[in-house]
Amino acid sequence: MKGISTFPVPKYAKDFTPSNVFGLPPATYAAILKLSQEVVDRNNIAGISNLTDAATIDTDASLGSDFYVTLGGNRTMAAPTNPGSAQSIRYWITQDGTGSRTMTWNAIFRFSTDIPSPTLTTTPDFMDMVEFQYNPYYLTWDCIRVIKGYDATPL
């Protein structure tokens, strides 16, 4: 019976062993890894929040990364509060049973020539997802993705 084949360890692998990572002592490297993971965790907040439908819809970004709302009329999305540096948030916007609701975005939301401000799907009970990433340099929420036309009818 043949044994498991192994590949030679690359020459550079010895430079990345825990005892000699970038010439740092293991405790220092471990502290850097822990801190960097805390930064990643802070910027990628897990959680789902239901937003309250109102003329102006408020978002507390510290509560999560996925925000759901069903529109009962034409609405304005207010500037999210408590952003994390480079945090991403996704809005899952559902049309009510009437449909044809519109969304106006606060000026803090930036759209590009590649991803312009979306016209929401107008079909009743359909949902669109609009994703933003916080830009701490410009203090803006930059749109990075729009996906439209999910059927939101409960199964």
Side-chain angles (χ1 to χ4, degrees):
M1 178 169 155
K2 254 183 156 180
I4 298 173
S5 65
T6 58
F7 296 96
V9 175
K11 219 166 107 177
Y12 58 82
K14 68 180 175 69
D15 297 332
F16 293 93
T17 58
S19 61
N20 188 21
V21 179
F22 305 112
L24 298 171
T28 303
Y29 182 67
I32 290 170
L33 284 179
K34 183 177 187 295
L35 180 60
S36 64
Q37 187 60 52
E38 288 173 5
V39 169
V40 168
D41 290 346
R42 169 71 176 112
N43 293 335
N44 295 300
I45 302 164
I48 296 172
S49 293
N50 291 314
L51 300 176
T52 301
D53 180 47
T56 301
I57 301 170
D58 296 317
T59 306
D60 180 349
S62 70
L63 298 178
S65 57
D66 288 283
F67 297 92
Y68 287 79
V69 65
T70 298
L71 304 180
N74 296 334
R75 304 299 189 222
T76 298
M77 188 64 70
T81 57
N82 304 312
S85 179
Q87 177 184 358
S88 292
I89 59 174
R90 287 172 295 279
Y91 288 106
W92 299 87
I93 304 166
T94 303
Q95 295 284 344
D96 65 3
T98 301
S100 297
R101 310 301 190 175
T102 62
M103 177 66 71
T104 302
W105 301 92
N106 180 286
I108 200 167
F109 293 102
R110 286 196 317 179
F111 297 91
S112 69
T113 54
D114 286 340
I115 306 175
S117 181
T119 299
L120 298 177
T121 300
T122 58
T123 308
D125 300 315
F126 266 63
M127 176 173 57
D128 299 331
M129 188 274 293
V130 184
E131 185 173 9
F132 296 90
Q133 184 163 13
Y134 186 66
N135 183 328
Y137 185 77
Y138 291 103
L139 303 176
T140 57
W141 288 93
D142 298 337
C143 186
I144 59 174
R145 181 168 50 159
V146 175
I147 303 174
K148 297 170 49 174
Y150 291 103
D151 185 347
T153 307
L155 297 176

